[in-house]
Amino acid sequence: MRKYFLLSAVALLTATNVNAASNESANVQVIGNIVATSFFSCSELNFGNIYLRADDNTGYFGAGTADTEGYTTGSVANITDYNPALCNGIDADLTNDYTLIAPETIELSGVESDVDGFAYLSSIRLFENKLHGTLNIPAGLSEGGEISGSFSIVIIQ
């Protein structure tokens, strides 16, 4: 009998808790500022040929970086035929203060590592109408390949 009483009490408490939930609602105001921009175009950001050194122990390529100014790190031995993207039609005066809004990273397709994933572009910067960036090569590549991707930027002055 006592067992049934305890079961009934627990069932009653559970039912009371379920019924105790309240329904609530709210109205939320949405605000924003839509800004029209003028269009400009840029040529391809071309990293040319990227030469990697294979790890002597594994035969795989290690991680490294290359940028459109010719600097390399890690397993990137050299890059040739690299060119920053030339941007035309920019109305902003790039000799004064401006803000470049660009993605922090852009995942690139074409090569993938089982260790570190995809190659990606980072550190996008604009200097004298030329768009530069850093190519990040993942560790663990077993072969090369062509990489590609795209992104959008905005210049605010």
Side-chain angles (χ1 to χ4, degrees), residues 52 57 100 141 153:
L52 301 177
N57 297 324
L100 174 68
L141 291 179
I153 61 171

Side-chain angles (χ1 to χ4, degrees), residues 87-153:
C87 298
N88 296 309
I90 298 174
D91 291 334
D93 179 4
L94 298 179
T95 59
N96 291 320
D97 289 337
Y98 66 91
T99 301
L100 174 68
I101 300 174
E104 286 187 28
T105 61
I106 297 98
E107 188 175 284
L108 303 172
S109 60
V111 295
E112 183 179 2
S113 160
D114 292 337
V115 178
D116 281 345
F118 292 92
Y120 65 94
L121 182 65
S122 66
S123 302
I124 298 166
R125 55 206 178 276
L126 185 65
F127 182 70
E128 296 180 351
N129 286 15
K130 293 180 182 174
L131 196 64
H132 298 267
T134 301
L135 176 63
N136 298 270
I137 309 290
L141 291 179
S142 59
E143 59 185 39
E146 186 173 308
I147 55 172
S148 64
S150 64
F151 59 97
S152 296
I153 61 171

Side-chain angles (χ1 to χ4, degrees), residues 42-51 65-72 76 78-87 108 120-122 124-125 129-137 145-151:
C42 298
S43 64
E44 289 181 338
L45 179 59
N46 186 351
F47 283 94
N49 297 307
I50 303 128
Y51 298 95
T65 64
D67 71 19
T68 49
E69 295 168 18
Y71 300 110
T72 63
V76 178
N78 196 8
I79 59 173
T80 61
D81 303 322
Y82 55 89
N83 289 302
L86 180 60
C87 298
L108 303 172
Y120 65 94
L121 182 65
S122 66
I124 298 166
R125 55 206 178 276
N129 286 15
K130 293 180 182 174
L131 196 64
H132 298 267
T134 301
L135 176 63
N136 298 270
I137 309 290
E146 186 173 308
I147 55 172
S148 64
S150 64
F151 59 97

Side-chain angles (χ1 to χ4, degrees), residues 12-22:
L12 184 60
L13 286 174
T14 304
T16 303
N17 286 343
V18 170
N19 292 333
S22 63

